[in-house]
Amino acid sequence: MTLRFVSGSMRGRLVIQLALIAALLSLVLFLVVRTVAERAAADTQDNILLASATSISDALYTERGAVRLELPYSALSMLGSISEDRVFYRVAVGGETLTGYDDLPLPVSNDANQFDTYRYKGETVRAVALKRNFSTGNHSRDVTIVVAQTRLGLAAISSRITNTAMAIGVIFFLLATGLSLWAAQSALAPLTRMAGAVTRRGPSDLRPVVGKTPAELAPLVEALNSFILRLKASLNRSEDFIAEAAHRVRTPLATVRTQAEVVHRSLNQSQNKTALREMIRAIDESSRSAGQLLDHAMVNFRTDQFETAQLDLVELVKETTDRLSPTAGLKDIGINVAHDIPEFPFSGDAILLQNALRNILDNAIKYSPADSIITVNMTSDPEYQIAVIDQGRGFQGGDAQSYLNRFSRGENVDDVVGSGLGLTIVQEVAVAHFGRVEIQNNQTGSGACVSFILPRG
Amino acid sequence: MRIIYLTAWLIAQMICATLANAFEIEEQKLYKSPTGTGNLHIISTADISSFEPILLAFQEENPNIDIDYVVASSAQTMAAIHDERAPFDLVISSAMDLQTKLANDGFAQTYVSSATDSLPSWAKWRNQVFAFTQEPAVLVVSEHAFRDLSIPNTREELIELLRDNPQEFWGRVGTYDVRTSGFGYMLATQNSRNTDSFWRLTEVMGRLKTRLYCCSGEMIDDVASGRLAMAYNVLGSYAEKRLQTMDGVKIVPMQDFVSLMLRTSIITTNAKNASAAKRMVDFLSMMETRPELSAASGLPAVQRLETTAAKGLRPIRLGPGLLVFLDRLKRETFIRNWQNSIVQNNP
Ligand SMILES: Nc1ncnc2c1ncn2[C@@H]1O[C@H](COP(=O)(O)OP(=O)(O)OP(=O)(O)O)[C@@H](O)[C@H]1O
Ligand SMILES: [Mg+2]
């Protein structure tokens, strides 16, 4: 299900933002690790180059006024011990090459130790230049020692470091993203919880939302609650209005009916009599509708202010059948009540329950032929079930469950007066008590079977 | 049945005209193959007689490669490649120092294959210098001269022996003349690095009017003929090959340490037929798997599994350390010192 009003996700946004931050930090971490490690590796090479140049300078000596050198084995072999890089050296006395590679550049400035990076023999080399002042007898000479090495080993180290730093960065990023997912989830949990609580509510549950909510959600909850309040007030107002209207219509209708009866009786012409009969019937329908609307409004009101009391369903059923037996008696209909256990203790609203039972029994009487039996069968296992079974015409055509809708009447009603609200009221009462209504025809013989089912305990 | 039809011509010096030969060559031979598509130009310090079995075996595996094999001294080889940039594809030399210098100065191509990867780390440098033989420097003695003397096993014992028996060994000790033999120079410098006794030994040998040689072969011949009682720092591989046909000569590997010379190959940067050169490098790197070639050529292949340290074998380390003794001043000083020690009575 996609909701049309959804635009973006808070969690998605949160996760993306946190992931971006994590990516940025990973990148910074990667660069820092790489820079530091490469600096360290480059320093190592510089140190070895310097050590090599120093050992060469220590091996300088004079012989008959000339500077001589006995190149120490370690001076070059130490450079070969850490990597397989090419090695170049040059010793120059006053600009003239004493030994080594003639074309290795000499430094221009006069600083003591100078490091430099340049291209030599087709490769980038790192070089150190050492200047020493050497006295040969009576005059002193400037000796420059240059030792250079290619950077193959350094490049290998650097690529290894880059890989390691990259791995660290990626791991950090994945970890941070995982954690940010979790953080977003847990930060939004109260919202999900609240949405769940509101979704789980019944259709007419208009109680305010209570329960702990984080400060950030308080305004939303407040707004929701005030909206619920306003909605409830507006619903109440329209129901009050319907009830008031029904009430106002019913009283004058009663008067009109009485007058019509009187007139009917005083008339002799059968043609006029029939017309008046029709009129009385229409009045009956209207007044029935008004009465049922009033009842419906009452039921709605009471389910809102649901007040429960301990009662016995058996007693309730008996009271209701007693009250209806005169009506039944008019059609010579007998009502039998049977129950499997003596008492059906239940906590509920007696008035609502009576109203529901009355509507079921009223239907049974209305839609049964004269001189028949209505059975009220009460069973308690596993739920309380009050089945009202008649021998009438039964439900016909269509989906029996649709009779539970407002103002829906069957095709089988003939001239029976009714509004189509009876079973709607029954359904609402059942739902208010966490029960349900089942409608079907008798398995054996003709007639309808309407079961009012309530949870036990 | 032989699949390979081999035609070999011994070509005289005249062919050398094709190569700009300011450098001197000693021998040259062209190994023509029936389906030859490309010439592999090799310059090598190993003479044709010892290297031929290897070349033939290579050509059997690679029948479409003609081989032009030129033999020159290590110094001339260096001159050919370093100074003249002669168009050779592969340089095979026992002068490890010069091979290292070629690689260091940018004359060698980098090459990596599964064969070169399998070489032990001491047998290659920069993936440009690849060793394929390991040849010990040994003491060769005449059994006849040692009838009443015990054969020395270490350099200290050797010094003692020479000191105690000057009349026995006067003029009857041979070793390389490091002034003329590049290989002798390399062995001597490595010895000087490895042991303090080197200079004392040189001194003692000088006092005995030691004979100086250019080559291992002559030394061994002189030991065999009885002119020499012993020859120090002889290439063991040559000695072993010669001894197959000689009696009364014994090879003594020193127990304090044995310098291992590595014969190496490099592919030149200006190689015209680098692919064939690479095939040859692979072939040479795997020579250990073909002992018959070592037997035929007298060149012991690089041993991958052998624990060289345990046997007192010390492979001369490839790398910039070898450049030290190529230094002009260093060489001057070393040769002067050596000369002062050994030629004191050998004017
Ligand atoms: N016992 C029954 N036997 C046969 N049909 C029934 C029975 N009870 C209900 N019905 C059918 O279900 C329809 C809906 O019943 P409901 O009680 O809601 O309306 P009503 O009886 O027509 O009007 P009222 O609001 O006056 O009760 C009826 O019109 C009728 O067709
Ligand atoms: Mg009804």
Side-chain angles (χ1 to χ4, degrees):
Chain A
M1 179 181 70
T2 51
L3 299 173
R4 295 259 307 281
F5 56 81
V6 167
S7 105
S9 136
M10 243 157 90
R11 198 180 62 178
R13 217 160 51 216
L14 211 59
V15 168
I16 287 173
Q17 276 167 4
L18 288 174
L20 280 178
I21 293 172
L24 199 75
L25 288 178
S26 307
L27 191 71
V28 171
L29 187 71
F30 165 74
L31 291 176
V32 167
V33 168
R34 206 181 61 166
T35 314
V36 168
E38 280 186 352
R39 187 66 261 162
D43 283 350
T44 307
Q45 186 182 33
D46 285 359
N47 288 340
I48 295 181
L49 280 170
L50 187 60
S52 165
T54 309
S55 77
I56 293 176
S57 94
D58 289 348
L60 288 164
Y61 62 97
T62 47
E63 198 179 63
R64 277 179 253 117
V67 179
R68 307 264 312 165
L69 167 69
E70 185 159 2
L71 188 63
Y73 180 75
S74 62
L76 300 188
S77 74
M78 73 167 85
L79 292 166
S81 61
I82 49 159
S83 66
E84 298 198 323
D85 272 298
R86 294 162 69 183
V87 171
F88 310 102
Y89 67 97
R90 179 180 181 186
V91 180
V93 180
E96 202 129 311
T97 304
L98 179 67
T99 185
Y101 290 76
D102 291 333
D103 51 349
L104 198 62
L106 294 176
V108 266
S109 79
N110 262 332
D111 302 349
N113 306 342
Q114 297 173 49
F115 289 97
D116 201 359
T117 309
Y118 47 80
R119 303 233 5 128
Y120 179 69
K121 283 197 194 289
E123 245 180 291
T124 307
V125 295
R126 181 72 176 166
V128 64
L130 227 62
K131 294 234 177 190
R132 286 285 181 275
N133 206 274
F134 217 78
S135 76
T136 56
N138 32 23
H139 53 280
S140 75
R141 324 209 41 190
D142 274 331
V143 180
T144 312
I145 299 143
V146 185
V147 179
Q149 191 181 27
T150 55
R151 316 196 86 184
L152 189 88
L154 207 65
I157 293 174
S158 148
S159 90
R160 219 164 40 234
I161 288 171
T162 303
N163 287 346
T164 313
M166 193 113 82
I168 292 174
V170 167
I171 289 170
F172 178 83
F173 173 73
L174 291 178
L175 215 68
T177 307
L179 285 176
S180 66
L181 260 169
W182 173 78
Q185 189 89 41
S186 75
L188 295 175
L191 205 62
T192 323
R193 220 165 36 232
M194 204 179 87
V198 174
T199 313
R200 272 195 306 278
R201 288 183 165 212
S204 54
D205 186 351
L206 290 179
R207 285 170 300 150
V209 175
V210 287
K212 298 255 175 278
T213 46
E216 288 80 359
L217 287 182
L220 182 65
V221 173
E222 231 162 81
L224 186 65
N225 280 344
S226 98
F227 173 73
I228 289 174
L229 234 85
R230 272 178 286 137
L231 180 67
K232 204 155 115 185
S234 129
L235 277 176
N236 282 346
R237 240 179 297 130
S238 65
E239 260 160 28
D240 284 355
F241 177 77
I242 292 166
E244 181 70 25
H247 186 70
R248 277 174 185 271
V249 168
R250 213 158 57 149
T251 323
L253 275 179
T255 319
V256 172
R257 193 186 192 277
T258 321
Q259 293 303 320
E261 286 278 5
V262 174
V263 175
H264 180 256
R265 238 175 278 131
S266 62
L267 277 177
N268 298 329
Q269 271 189 329
S270 75
Q271 206 179 10
N272 293 346
K273 256 179 148 38
T274 323
L276 215 57
R277 203 70 330 265
E278 288 282 309
M279 193 171 126
I280 289 169
R281 218 193 89 81
I283 293 167
D284 280 348
E285 291 258 358
S286 309
S287 123
R288 175 69 184 171
S289 289
Q292 288 290 73
L293 276 173
L294 209 56
D295 268 11
H296 187 250
M298 186 273 288
V299 165
N300 266 335
F301 176 74
R302 289 194 77 97
T303 47
D304 277 354
Q305 265 87 24
F306 197 59
E307 278 167 22
T308 60
Q310 274 300 324
L311 48 88
D312 176 16
L313 289 177
V314 178
E315 207 178 307
L316 200 85
V317 169
K318 284 197 173 141
E319 255 172 47
T320 316
T321 50
D322 282 354
R323 213 176 291 167
L324 281 171
S325 58
T327 325
L330 286 178
K331 288 177 80 176
D332 277 335
I333 291 173
I335 305 177
N336 293 337
V337 180
H339 43 94
D340 58 354
I341 50 170
E343 283 194 353
F344 281 52
F346 186 72
S347 79
D349 186 321
I351 294 179
L352 289 182
L353 291 169
Q354 257 173 358
N355 203 311
L357 285 172
R358 201 181 56 237
N359 266 298
I360 300 173
L361 285 165
D362 178 63
N363 281 350
I365 297 166
K366 265 204 299 198
Y367 300 110
S368 285
D371 206 7
S372 62
I373 301 286
I374 294 170
T375 314
V376 182
N377 203 0
M378 298 177 72
T379 53
S380 59
D381 199 34
E383 307 160 290
Y384 290 146
Q385 179 167 12
I386 303 166
V388 178
I389 302 153
D390 61 43
Q391 298 170 327
R393 61 196 80 176
F395 295 95
Q396 280 166 23
D399 175 16
Q401 291 294 330
S402 70
Y403 296 128
L404 297 175
N405 295 340
R406 285 180 196 175
F407 303 112
S408 104
R409 304 199 66 203
E411 296 154 9
N412 58 346
V413 292
D414 292 342
D415 58 345
V416 180
V417 173
S419 66
L421 276 172
L423 286 179
T424 312
I425 293 170
V426 173
Q427 161 86 350
E428 276 168 10
V429 171
V431 169
H433 288 86
F434 306 104
R436 64 183 192 279
V437 182
E438 278 176 11
I439 291 172
Q440 64 206 85
N441 284 324
N442 283 333
Q443 247 78 13
T444 54
S446 65
C449 172
V450 178
S451 298
F452 189 72
I453 299 166
L454 294 171
R456 197 178 161 172
Chain B
M1 182 187 113
R2 268 188 82 102
I3 324 160
I4 308 302
Y5 302 91
L6 242 170
T7 341
W9 285 278
L10 191 69
I11 309 251
Q13 303 276 11
M14 49 189 169
I15 284 293
C16 302
T18 55
L19 305 168
N21 60 331
F23 59 94
E24 284 169 32
I25 69 171
E26 292 165 4
E27 298 177 90
Q28 183 171 24
K29 189 167 177 180
L30 182 66
Y31 296 87
K32 262 258 181 252
S33 68
T35 56
T37 50
N39 245 352
L40 171 60
H41 291 282
I42 301 177
I43 185 163
S44 167
T45 60
D47 49 32
I48 290 176
S49 67
S50 64
F51 219 74
E52 186 155 78
I54 296 173
L55 295 175
L56 295 181
F58 172 78
Q59 217 167 29
E60 196 164 340
E61 274 187 16
N62 304 277
N64 54 349
I65 297 176
D66 298 330
I67 301 172
D68 179 19
Y69 189 78
V70 173
V71 179
S73 74
S74 58
Q76 290 306 311
T77 301
M78 184 71 182
I81 303 298
H82 199 276
D83 305 336
E84 292 169 35
R85 299 195 138 267
F88 287 104
D89 303 308
L90 195 70
V91 183
I92 294 172
S93 170
S94 53
M96 297 169 69
D97 45 0
L98 296 179
Q99 295 281 77
T100 301
K101 186 162 172 62
L102 282 180
N104 192 65
D105 291 2
F107 290 91
Q109 268 187 43
T110 303
Y111 174 55
V112 180
S113 71
S114 56
T116 64
D117 267 343
S118 73
L119 284 173
S121 61
W122 52 261
K124 59 189 167 192
W125 190 60
R126 288 180 60 79
N127 286 319
Q128 292 180 336
V129 182
F130 307 99
F132 63 99
T133 69
Q134 52 178 57
E135 305 176 38
V138 295
L139 178 73
V140 173
V141 298
S142 145
E143 276 173 353
H144 180 77
F146 279 85
R147 272 164 317 180
D148 309 321
L149 296 167
S150 62
I151 295 173
N153 281 318
T154 65
R155 287 170 181 77
E156 286 300 333
E157 281 175 26
L158 177 62
I159 292 170
E160 220 166 288
L161 178 82
L162 294 178
R163 229 180 236 158
D164 295 349
N165 304 285
Q167 66 288 3
E168 283 287 335
F169 294 106
W170 174 260
R172 296 188 66 208
V173 177
T175 193
Y176 273 115
D177 185 343
V178 305
R179 294 167 298 189
T180 54
S181 161
F183 177 65
Y185 176 72
M186 189 178 72
L187 272 184
T189 52
Q190 290 299 320
N191 272 358
S192 75
R193 211 167 66 63
N194 279 329
T195 169
D196 295 335
S197 57
F198 171 76
W199 287 112
R200 274 190 293 130
L201 180 60
T202 313
E203 193 82 17
V204 170
M205 294 206 310
R207 250 179 261 144
L208 292 175
K209 199 173 184 296
T210 290
R211 288 170 176 276
L212 300 177
Y213 290 82
C214 76
C215 321
S216 281
E218 287 172 30
M219 265 190 273
I220 295 161
D221 287 344
D222 282 358
V223 174
S225 71
R227 265 186 77 181
L228 288 183
M230 67 166 84
Y232 177 68
N233 265 356
V234 176
L235 204 49
S237 52
Y238 274 123
E240 210 129 2
K241 202 176 168 199
R242 293 290 185 89
L243 289 196
Q244 289 166 354
T245 57
M246 275 179 207
D247 295 331
V249 179
K250 199 169 175 227
I251 296 175
V252 184
M254 288 283 144
Q255 270 160 24
D256 41 0
F257 68 88
V258 176
S259 285
L260 271 189
M261 186 276 283
L262 308 179
R263 205 176 286 267
T264 58
S265 62
I266 62 176
I267 304 167
T268 59
T269 37
N270 59 349
K272 287 206 185 68
N273 199 351
S275 68
K278 287 171 182 175
R279 298 262 274 283
M280 182 58 106
V281 167
D282 283 346
F283 183 83
L284 293 176
S285 298
M286 298 310 292
M287 207 166 90
E288 187 186 359
T289 61
R290 309 186 58 157
E292 76 277 6
L293 288 184
S294 291
S297 62
L299 300 175
V302 162
Q303 299 294 306
R304 284 170 173 75
L305 290 178
E306 194 168 310
T307 48
T308 44
K311 294 193 170 179
L313 298 177
R314 250 179 236 180
I316 295 174
R317 217 174 94 200
L318 288 164
L322 284 173
L323 302 179
V324 171
F325 294 102
L326 292 180
D327 181 78
R328 190 176 55 81
L329 292 180
K330 183 85 174 178
R331 188 180 162 89
E332 264 174 40
T333 319
F334 186 89
I335 290 199
R336 197 174 56 212
N337 287 341
W338 178 85
Q339 211 161 267
N340 288 343
S341 301
I342 210 150
V343 201
Q344 45 190 331
N345 302 314
N346 264 356

